[in-house]
């Protein structure tokens, strides 16, 4: 499904990685490793189509992602370093805004949104402006979109950062469910992730 | 596609309501700047009437610029802009929605405030009306051009100054047509030709500026 051929990434003038090859099929997870500055985020952004790679090819279902454009983005869910939540919004509003911004046609029902936030342990905080939440709670708000996400390819940059054990367990479980239903995951993490029900975990280590 | 644009505009609107000081500061800047001129130049009604269109238009132009650096910058910093760019719609739509939101949130209130300030300059009633119409039309062009600048300065330090240098020269046509329309009324002529020229300029900006802003956004996001 997701195929990367001889990818080279640059940041400024320096080459971060080159000759990156991998192929990810439905139900597989790719764990991206590497020391700080090895180019993990750059690779993820290239996979999303945000930063064009210096050379090489990224194909989704056999076609280059740049040729597909919106078709590809419709199947992609990217969660970056930044939480992409608004400090002036409540978790509930942020959840809705995320759904609308990602271009999902259907507007999430309040019931669904509350359930998703509840899964993340944010019940009782739904109507509190995010500025007053802790770092971990903000991260949980950002992750809440994964609770109902049906897109096939998840690209997650350090999703476990700032989370407590309970939230890590929830996320691992959710990743497991997603993989079991035929989804794909690419994630970076410095921790060792223990994903239940994951059929196959591939590891790729970037070394400059 | 339309619902995406509407959601974006509604979201910006809601954010602006949460932080009313952002809009209020632009309005107060306009108010104070316009009030300083009679004090600093001369309280002579005849002279003030002559200066009024230029002062009010420049005031509106500068206050419009106050909130422009934030148009994309906050979403850029907290990662929301990335998410919007990854939505399955063209960047053009994103740039256009943001432009419209800025016009609704900042441009239209400025246009509504302008006749009140025009009273300070002893403008006749029909000139006040034309001032309002010209600013209503013109501020859409200002928002469109401003969005291009705001997209270009993303991620730069001291972007605000650079933004002013980039876009103020591009505001000149709107300034000339807008002030000429008000001038024409005060001299008893028809403002229609100038308003039509201003409308044409605004339409051109509304179509082409989001394209340029989208290209700038694409570069800034890389």
């Amino acid at each position: 499904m997701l195929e990367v051929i001889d990818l080279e990434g640059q940041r400024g003038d320096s080459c971060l990685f080159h000759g990156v090859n991998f192929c990810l099929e439905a139900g597989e997870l790719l764990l991206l490793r590497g020391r700080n500055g090895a180019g993990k985020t750059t690779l993820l952004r290239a996979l999303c189509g945000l930063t064009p790679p210096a050379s090489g090819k990224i194909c989704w279902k056999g076609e280059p992602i740049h040729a597909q454009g919106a078709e590809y983005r419709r199947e992609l869910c990217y969660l970056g370093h930044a939480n992409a939540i608004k400090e002036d919004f409540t978790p509930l509003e942020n959840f809705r805004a995320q759904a609308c911004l990602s271009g999902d046609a259907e507007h999430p029902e309040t019931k669904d949104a509350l359930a998703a936030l509840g899964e993340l342990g944010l019940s009782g905080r739904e109507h509190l402006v995010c500025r007053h939440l802790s770092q971990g709670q903000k991260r949980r708000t950002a992750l809440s979109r994964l609770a109902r996400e049906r897109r096939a390819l998840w690209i997650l940059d350090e999703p476990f950062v700032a989370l407590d054990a309970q939230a890590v367990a929830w996320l691992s479980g959710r990743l497991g469910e997603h993989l079991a239903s035929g989804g794909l995951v690419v994630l970076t993490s410095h921790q060792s992730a223990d994903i239940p029900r994951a059929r196959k975990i591939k590891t790729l280590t970037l070394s400059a | 596609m339309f619902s995406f644009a509407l959601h974006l505009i509604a979201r910006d609107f809601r954010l602006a309501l949460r932080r009313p000081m952002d809009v209020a500061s632009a309005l107060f800047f306009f108010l104070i700047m316009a009030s300083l001129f009679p004090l600093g130049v001369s309280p002579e009604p005849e002279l003030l009437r002559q200066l009024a269109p230029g002062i009010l238009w420049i005031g509106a132009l500068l206050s419009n610029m106050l909130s422009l650096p934030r148009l994309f910058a906050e979403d850029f910093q907290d990662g929301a802009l990335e998410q919007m760019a990854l939505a399955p719609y063209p960047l053009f739509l994103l740039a256009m929605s943001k432009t419209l939101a800025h016009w609704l949130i900042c441009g239209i209130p400025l246009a509504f405030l302008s006749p009140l300030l025009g009273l300070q300059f002893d403008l006749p009633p029909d000139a006040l009306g034309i001032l309002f119409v010209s600013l209503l039309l013109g501020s859409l062009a200002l928002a469109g051009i401003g969005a291009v600048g705001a997209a270009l300065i993303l991620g730069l330090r001291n972007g605000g100054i650079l933004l002013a240098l980039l876009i103020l020269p591009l505001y000149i046509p709107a300034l000339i047509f807008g002030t000429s329309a008000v001038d024409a009324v005060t001299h008893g002529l028809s403002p229609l030709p100038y308003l039509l020229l201003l409308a044409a300029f605004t339409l051109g900006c509304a179509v082409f500026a989001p394209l340029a802003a989208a290209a700038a956004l694409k570069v800034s996001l890389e």
Side-chain angles (χ1 to χ4, degrees):
Chain A
M1 296 261 273
L2 183 68
E3 203 178 344
V4 167
I5 305 155
D6 205 16
L7 203 68
E8 183 182 339
Q10 281 184 339
R11 199 87 193 133
D13 285 333
S14 60
C15 172
L16 286 175
F17 53 82
H18 56 87
V20 170
N21 289 287
F22 65 83
C23 182
L24 210 59
E25 294 301 329
E28 291 184 343
L29 180 143
L30 178 75
L31 182 60
L32 205 56
R33 292 187 170 280
R35 55 176 179 75
N36 296 133
K40 299 186 293 293
T41 298
T42 308
L43 178 56
L44 291 191
R45 288 175 63 87
L47 289 180
C48 295
L50 282 170
T51 316
S55 71
K57 232 164 84 172
I58 305 169
C59 295
W60 173 250
K61 293 179 178 168
E63 262 190 76
I65 57 167
H66 285 284
Q68 298 187 39
E71 276 314 303
Y72 172 63
R73 296 204 295 272
R74 215 177 285 281
E75 302 196 60
L76 170 79
C77 167
Y78 171 67
L79 218 74
H81 257 290
N83 284 333
I85 62 169
K86 285 286 155 196
E87 302 259 304
D88 288 306
F89 278 169
T90 65
L92 184 59
E93 286 170 322
N94 269 310
F95 183 88
R96 287 210 182 110
Q98 279 168 351
C100 299
L101 289 188
S102 61
D104 288 337
E106 73 267 44
H107 199 66
E109 297 212 12
T110 310
K111 184 164 55 78
D112 284 345
L114 290 177
L117 290 168
E119 278 182 36
L120 266 300
L122 287 166
S123 344
R125 303 269 193 286
E126 299 98 340
H127 300 292
L128 200 66
V129 176
C130 280
R131 199 182 306 118
H132 303 308
L133 297 181
S134 76
Q135 204 57 38
Q137 285 172 324
K138 284 179 197 167
R139 191 70 185 156
R140 283 173 179 232
T141 308
L143 286 171
S144 63
R145 63 182 285 199
L146 294 181
R148 294 286 179 276
E149 190 58 68
R150 294 193 191 288
R151 297 172 180 214
L153 175 60
W154 290 6
I155 297 183
L156 314 173
D157 200 352
E158 299 282 356
F160 295 106
V161 162
L163 294 181
D164 59 14
Q166 189 197 4
V168 168
W170 176 85
L171 182 58
S172 308
R174 188 68 193 100
L175 290 176
E177 276 172 35
H178 177 62
L179 292 171
S181 67
L184 291 80
V185 179
V186 180
L187 66 85
T188 62
S189 179
H190 292 289
Q191 292 152 295
S192 57
D194 179 27
I195 316 286
R197 296 203 282 162
R199 260 196 305 127
K200 197 165 178 191
I201 297 185
K202 291 181 175 174
T203 309
L204 178 71
T205 307
L206 291 181
S207 53
Chain B
M1 203 145 151
F2 266 118
S3 72
F4 176 68
L6 284 180
H7 279 311
L8 261 178
I9 294 172
R11 166 183 172 276
D12 275 16
F13 220 84
R14 208 193 264 256
L15 275 175
L17 283 180
R18 288 285 151 85
R19 264 177 299 179
M21 270 316 290
D22 284 4
V23 183
S25 57
L27 291 176
F28 274 107
F29 178 81
F30 188 27
L31 177 78
I32 288 170
M33 189 185 153
S35 310
L36 288 180
F37 272 90
L39 299 171
V41 181
S42 146
E44 198 79 40
E46 193 52 44
L47 183 68
L48 285 181
R49 250 201 307 276
Q50 272 181 12
L51 290 177
I55 290 171
L56 292 173
W57 251 86
I58 293 172
L61 217 131
L62 293 179
S63 6
N64 186 64
M65 265 199 40
L66 274 185
S67 56
L68 265 183
R70 281 195 300 270
L71 183 58
F72 295 114
E74 281 179 5
D75 287 332
F76 181 67
Q77 269 159 15
D78 64 22
L81 197 63
E82 262 170 17
Q83 294 296 334
M84 295 186 234
L86 286 175
Y89 301 105
L91 271 178
F92 168 78
L93 197 67
L94 167 63
M96 204 168 68
S97 319
K98 279 285 199 180
T99 304
L100 275 177
H102 184 260
W103 180 55
L104 289 171
I105 293 164
C106 189
I108 290 184
L110 283 175
F112 272 98
L113 185 61
S114 62
L116 281 177
L117 299 180
L119 284 176
Q120 288 190 22
F121 290 85
D122 196 28
L123 278 181
D126 44 351
L128 291 177
I130 294 302
L131 177 69
F132 169 71
V133 174
S134 70
L135 270 176
L136 198 63
L137 265 176
S139 54
L140 181 57
L142 303 187
I145 296 169
V148 182
L152 277 172
I153 60 152
L154 275 184
L156 297 184
R157 268 185 307 143
N158 285 336
I161 304 292
L162 187 61
L163 178 68
L165 294 177
L166 277 174
I167 61 173
L168 280 178
L170 299 174
Y171 281 173
I172 292 173
L175 178 69
I176 292 176
F177 300 143
T179 51
S180 305
V182 185
D183 261 338
V185 193
T186 45
H187 290 103
L189 301 168
S190 164
L192 199 63
Y194 298 108
L195 284 182
L196 288 178
L197 280 170
L198 181 63
F201 180 70
T202 301
L203 273 179
C205 285
V207 174
F208 293 112
L211 285 174
L217 279 178
K218 198 168 157 50
V219 174
S220 295
L221 277 170
E222 273 181 9

